[in-house]
């Protein structure tokens, strides 16, 4: 009974949101434009450490600018990938 209700709810939400998806979300090609520009534009060859959105340099949201969150993410990434033991001298 509960699965029937959840399935009906999912279909109802999909029915309500489908007409607005073209406004709320980018397609695959549009979403990839910034990454493609960064990969092939010779003028950006030496640009590093910058944030880009919609093919323009932008200021990131508050979270990427928070050093404590950045340090936590770096440590967690090292832990999960097993790369914490590798130093720059080993490379």
């Amino acid at each position: 009974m509960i699965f029937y209700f959840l399935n009906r709810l999912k279909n109802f939400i999909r029915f309500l949101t489908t007409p607005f998806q073209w406004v709320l979300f980018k397609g695959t090609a549009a979403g990839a434009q910034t990454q493609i520009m960064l990969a092939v534009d010779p003028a950006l060859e030496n640009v590093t450490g910058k944030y880009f959105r919609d093919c323009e340099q932008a200021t990131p949201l508050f979270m990427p600018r928070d050093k404590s969150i950045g340090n936590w993410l770096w440590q967690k990434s090292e832990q999960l990938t097993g790369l914490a033991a590798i130093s720059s001298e080993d490379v």
Side-chain angles (χ1 to χ4, degrees):
M1 181 70 178
I2 189 75
F3 294 114
Y4 174 78
F5 173 73
L6 291 175
N7 191 39
R8 298 289 294 199
L9 179 63
K10 179 181 74 171
N11 290 337
F12 179 69
I13 291 171
R14 184 178 297 146
F15 172 77
L16 290 177
T17 60
T18 299
F20 303 103
Q21 287 182 355
W22 67 274
V23 174
L24 300 174
F25 304 106
K26 292 181 182 182
T28 307
Q33 290 304 304
T34 301
Q35 286 77 13
I36 294 170
M37 178 198 73
L38 294 170
V40 300
D41 190 348
L44 299 172
E45 185 174 344
N46 295 321
V47 175
T48 182
K50 302 295 181 187
Y51 179 79
F52 286 82
R53 179 178 49 231
D54 296 330
C55 296
E56 295 181 0
Q57 188 172 336
T59 301
L61 300 173
F62 68 93
M63 284 181 56
R65 294 183 293 184
D66 187 340
K67 297 280 188 203
S68 63
I69 293 174
N71 289 335
W72 173 84
L73 179 60
W74 187 268
Q75 291 171 355
K76 195 65 166 173
S77 298
E78 286 181 336
Q79 177 188 3
L80 293 173
T81 60
L83 296 175
I86 300 175
S87 70
S88 60
E89 296 167 359
D90 296 335
V91 178

